[in-house]
Amino acid sequence: ITDSNGDSMEPTIKSGSIIVAQKVDPSDWEYTTGICMVIVNNMRVIKRIKENTLHDNETLKLHSDNPNHGAIT
């Protein structure tokens, strides 16, 4: 359980919203889509996986719902 900070996922998730997340087993990562929280080097981001390409090229493109923000790979 954590809270969101920032507006990159608005209007879907407003800044300050409480987020409840469930850990996904690494064997299921390539099937995961939708909104997720990714933690890398103690940094957490809440983004949307529109198309999961882990099986094809071992990368994920994480999208913001707010059109003023972009995507990260």
Side-chain angles (χ1 to χ4, degrees):
I1 297 177
T2 188
D3 61 333
S4 66
N5 183 8
D7 65 351
S8 70
M9 289 302 290
E10 287 187 6
T12 309
I13 301 172
K14 298 196 182 301
S15 185
S17 296
I18 295 173
I19 305 297
V20 178
Q22 179 177 336
K23 186 175 181 177
V24 176
D25 189 277
S27 65
D28 291 328
W29 286 356
E30 67 181 279
Y31 308 109
T32 302
T33 58
I35 297 175
C36 65
M37 181 187 323
V38 178
I39 302 171
V40 178
N41 297 330
N42 289 331
M43 181 181 81
R44 61 183 162 81
V45 295
I46 300 168
K47 300 291 181 194
R48 182 180 301 278
I49 300 172
K50 292 183 179 179
E51 182 179 342
N52 189 328
T53 57
L54 275 176
H55 182 71
D56 299 330
N57 60 16
E58 297 183 0
T59 63
L60 277 178
K61 192 168 188 179
L62 305 173
H63 299 265
S64 298
D65 283 357
N66 184 332
N68 295 326
H69 296 269
I72 58 174
T73 301

